[in-house]
Coordinates of all heavy atoms in Angstrom, one line a residue:
I24 N 29.6 -6.1 -26.3 CA 30.6 -6.0 -25.2 C 32.0 -6.3 -25.8 O 32.2 -7.3 -26.5 CB 30.3 -7.1 -24.1 CG1 28.8 -7.0 -23.6 CG2 31.3 -7.1 -23.0 CD1 28.5 -5.7 -22.9
G25 N 32.9 -5.4 -25.5 CA 34.3 -5.6 -25.9 C 35.1 -6.1 -24.7 O 34.7 -5.8 -23.6
F46 N 29.7 -1.0 -27.0 CA 29.5 -0.3 -28.3 C 28.3 -0.9 -29.0 O 27.6 -1.8 -28.4 CB 30.7 -0.4 -29.2 CG 31.2 -1.7 -29.5 CD1 30.8 -2.3 -30.7 CD2 32.0 -2.5 -28.6 CE1 31.2 -3.6 -31.0 CE2 32.4 -3.8 -29.0 CZ 32.0 -4.3 -30.2
E72 N 35.0 -12.6 -35.1 CA 34.9 -12.8 -33.6 C 33.6 -13.6 -33.3 O 32.5 -13.1 -33.4 CB 34.8 -11.4 -32.9 CG 36.0 -10.5 -33.2 CD 35.9 -9.2 -32.3 OE1 34.8 -8.9 -31.7 OE2 36.8 -8.4 -32.4
E74 N 30.9 -15.0 -31.0 CA 30.3 -14.5 -29.7 C 28.9 -15.2 -29.4 O 28.2 -15.5 -30.4 CB 30.1 -13.0 -29.7 CG 31.4 -12.3 -30.2 CD 31.5 -10.9 -29.8 OE1 30.7 -10.4 -29.0 OE2 32.4 -10.2 -30.3
D103 N 31.0 -11.2 -34.8 CA 31.2 -9.7 -34.7 C 32.3 -9.3 -35.6 O 33.4 -9.1 -35.2 CB 31.5 -9.3 -33.2 CG 31.8 -7.8 -33.1 OD1 31.4 -7.0 -34.0 OD2 32.4 -7.5 -32.0
S105 N 34.8 -7.4 -37.8 CA 35.4 -6.1 -37.5 C 36.5 -5.7 -38.5 O 37.3 -6.5 -38.8 CB 36.1 -6.2 -36.1 OG 35.2 -6.7 -35.1
K124 N 33.0 -1.5 -36.9 CA 32.1 -2.6 -36.5 C 30.8 -2.6 -37.2 O 30.0 -3.6 -37.0 CB 31.9 -2.4 -35.0 CG 33.1 -2.6 -34.1 CD 33.4 -4.1 -33.9 CE 34.5 -4.3 -32.9 NZ 34.6 -5.8 -32.6
I190 N 25.5 -8.9 -27.5 CA 26.6 -9.9 -27.8 C 27.7 -9.7 -26.8 O 28.0 -8.6 -26.4 CB 27.1 -9.8 -29.3 CG1 27.7 -8.4 -29.6 CG2 26.0 -10.1 -30.3 CD1 28.4 -8.4 -31.0
G192 N 31.1 -10.7 -26.3 CA 32.5 -10.7 -26.3 C 33.1 -12.0 -27.0 O 32.4 -13.0 -27.1
T193 N 34.4 -11.9 -27.3 CA 35.0 -13.0 -28.1 C 36.2 -13.6 -27.4 O 37.0 -12.8 -26.8 CB 35.3 -12.6 -29.5 OG1 35.5 -13.7 -30.4 CG2 36.5 -11.7 -29.6
Ligands
MG9 MG1 33.3 -8.5 -30.4

Side-chain angles (χ1 to χ4, degrees):
I24 305 296
F46 60 96
E72 298 186 355
E74 311 203 7
D103 176 19
S105 308
K124 292 281 190 174
I190 62 170
T193 198

